[in-house]
Every structure is written in structure tokens, then in C-alpha cells.
Amino acid sequence: MKSIMIKYQKTRRYNQEFISKNLMGPNAMMLLEEMTKYFNLKSGMRILDLGCGTGLTSIFLAKEYGVKVIAYDLWISETENYERFKSIGLDDHIEAIQGDANVMPFPNDYFDGVISVDSYQYYGSNNKFFTEKLQPILKNNAIVAIAVPGMSVELGDRIPEEMKPYWDEESFNTWHTIDWWQQEFSELLNSIIVKEMACFDEAWSDWLNTDNPHAITDRDMIKIDGGRYMNLIAIIGRVNKLYL
Ligand SMILES: C[S@@+](CC[C@H](N)C(=O)[O-])C[C@H]1O[C@@H](n2cnc3c(N)ncnc32)[C@H](O)[C@@H]1O
């Protein structure tokens, strides 16, 4: 009998109903699993999960790697996330904090790494955010792993006519190409990898199959896009503090 290869084996081991209920976009755990192939997390590391939403990625980090996670998010309250982490016995491993990425209450040189999935575009599409807000709280050589929605082609400031019902100007202005992100981070990170993510179809499909009202409108968007413009981009590297 042929064995079936499951591409995102770790993600698929979790209760898929729990994941589905807590998705806020393309499957965040899957995006993280794909990125973890490019760096090593060790038990005991302190990792910032920036814009963690409902904390699926925080759960993955704590469970798979035994790291200490600070789950930081603006829209989801710390009580809601704390209760979710407690319900699965992870409240000693993940600390939930509600707050804005622009005003983070952490000491300098505090984190061994930051991961951020489908969130960085809201506040970080300008390299001031990284140098002024994020880099100070990361140790030199800390891991940086960011997954953002992006563009496979540069569209300038023009939203294609057929996408106008689905894309608002504000979001559109934060979506960029691999080349744009590469340029943005090339001097800030060592060992930098900026790549299109392979899990696009599967991660989006998990989200579109939920009954979340946002997912229902996103179904048309993905259909009309038809693989022409939208992608998911991973930016991975190590903090280079000597750059300063
Ligand atoms: C599309 S959701 C993604 C959540 C989660 N990372 C995921 O992939 O399921 C975007 C998240 O970014 C967070 N976010 C947006 N602006 C933020 C800011 N200024 N500071 C911290 N988090 C922010 C929101 O609170 C929201 O949970």
C-alpha cells in the first residue's frame, strides 16, 4: 500500500475543529510550520508571538518546541487568550498580553526570537517599525520569522478593477512583493531568506472552509484573484545589531 505524504504533519496532528474555530485567516499554524524548517528553536528560548490573534501559533511554539511564548495581540483580549491557553494546559508556557505593537512593554535584549504570522503588515510595512520598536527588544542574532500576505507582481498604486470589491486601499498599500521585502530587510538581518510560501492553497482553503463571515466573502476574492496577484511571503533571518 502506498503511504500518503502529509505535508504539514505537525499542524494536522492538532484537533482540526479547534484550529478551524480559531482561525482568523489562512491557517496560521501551517504558515508557521513551513517557516520552522528554516531555523532551530530550542526549549527554554523566549519567543515573542507578535500579533498572535487567537494564539494558534503560540500553542504550536509551546507544544512543539517547549519555548516560553509571549502571545501579544491588539484585537484579542489577554483574558480570552489566557482562557484558551489554560483550557489546553499551556497557561504556564504562554503569557497572553493585549497591546499595540507600537508600544511594547518589554526590556531591551529580551527575546531570543520573534514570530509574526499575518499581522506584521498592519504596523511593519516600513522599516522604521523594525529598527525603532522591534529590534531593541530582540537579542543580537535572535530569530526573526515573519509571514505576510503579499503580491506576486508589483501593481504600483493601482488596484485592478476586478479586485476593487475585495481590496481596500489601506490594506492594499501594505501588501508588497518579495523584492520589496528583501530590500526592506537586507541590511537588518543576517542569513536572510525571503520566499513565496508553498502552503498558500492549503492554508487558504482551511480558512475558506470555515463558516466565519469574513471567510465567506474571502471565497469570492480568492476565486476572482485566480492565482494572479496574491501570495504569502516569508521573511526569515537573524537580527544583526552590528548594523546600527
Ligand atoms: C489577520 S489577524 C491574524 C492573527 C493570527 N496571527 C493568525 O494568523 O491567525 C491579524 C492580527 O494582527 C493583530 N494586530 C493588528 N495590528 C496590531 C498592532 N498594532 N499591534 C499588535 N497586533 C496587531 C490583530 O490584533 C490581529 O489579531
Side-chain angles (χ1 to χ4, degrees):
M1 200 173 77
K2 264 194 191 162
S3 65
I4 300 165
M5 199 180 85
I6 302 168
K7 275 189 286 177
Y8 300 97
Q9 283 186 359
K10 288 180 176 158
T11 299
R12 292 304 183 209
R13 279 203 302 261
Y14 287 78
N15 180 326
Q16 297 300 301
E17 209 178 307
F18 175 84
I19 292 188
S20 183
K21 211 171 76 195
N22 289 297
L23 287 180
M24 295 175 73
N27 191 334
M29 249 192 206
M30 195 177 279
L31 268 76
L32 175 57
E33 181 172 355
E34 183 171 332
M35 290 200 291
T36 54
K37 294 186 173 64
Y38 298 93
F39 50 87
N40 289 319
L41 289 166
K42 294 196 195 92
S43 169
M45 280 179 161
R46 187 187 290 122
I47 303 293
L48 173 63
D49 186 354
L50 186 55
C52 65
T54 55
L56 289 175
T57 42
S58 310
I59 292 167
F60 188 91
L61 288 167
K63 255 192 165 334
E64 301 298 328
Y65 299 100
V67 295
K68 291 180 267 182
V69 186
I70 308 292
Y72 194 84
D73 194 74
L74 185 62
W75 304 342
I76 308 295
S77 82
E78 51 209 3
T79 302
E80 182 188 327
N81 268 342
Y82 167 66
E83 278 169 1
R84 191 171 4 263
F85 301 144
K86 197 161 127 193
S87 74
I88 52 175
L90 286 175
D91 51 308
D92 282 345
H93 303 268
I94 311 171
E95 185 181 356
I97 302 179
Q98 185 172 16
D100 188 332
N102 290 295
V103 278
M104 291 191 276
F106 306 112
N108 283 354
D109 296 316
Y110 195 59
F111 291 104
D112 299 295
V114 58
I115 77 109
S116 184
V117 172
D118 192 10
S119 175
Y120 198 82
Q121 69 276 14
Y122 289 100
Y123 39 82
S125 284
N126 60 81
N127 73 19
K128 266 187 150 189
F129 173 77
F130 188 82
T131 49
E132 291 176 12
K133 312 286 179 177
L134 190 52
Q135 193 190 51
I137 61 175
L138 299 171
K139 295 177 185 171
N140 190 36
N141 210 36
I143 294 163
V144 173
I146 297 168
V148 282
M151 289 280 125
S152 48
V153 284
E154 190 51 74
L155 295 174
D157 54 8
R158 187 189 60 88
I159 299 184
E161 213 48 49
E162 70 276 23
M163 300 314 293
K164 281 188 178 159
Y166 309 103
W167 295 353
D168 63 82
E169 199 80 40
E170 202 183 337
S171 307
F172 176 67
N173 289 334
T174 68
W175 300 333
H176 298 289
T177 57
I178 288 180
D179 286 351
W180 190 93
W181 284 105
Q182 177 86 43
Q183 205 164 358
E184 194 75 354
F185 275 101
S186 60
E187 288 192 322
L188 303 174
L189 299 179
N190 287 329
S191 314
I192 186 170
I193 299 170
V194 183
K195 65 183 287 287
E196 197 164 282
M197 300 195 73
C199 66
F200 183 94
D201 288 342
E202 205 168 331
W204 266 101
S205 160
D206 283 358
W207 166 241
L208 300 181
N209 284 326
T210 68
D211 54 12
N212 187 302
H214 296 294
I216 291 165
T217 48
D218 283 353
R219 286 178 201 161
D220 283 342
M221 174 184 73
I222 290 292
K223 203 162 134 199
I224 304 290
D225 178 272
R228 282 173 301 166
Y229 309 121
M230 298 170 64
N231 65 5
L232 290 165
I233 296 174
I235 303 137
I236 298 158
R238 296 274 180 169
V239 170
N240 172 17
K241 287 216 170 182
L242 302 177
Y243 162 74
L244 285 178

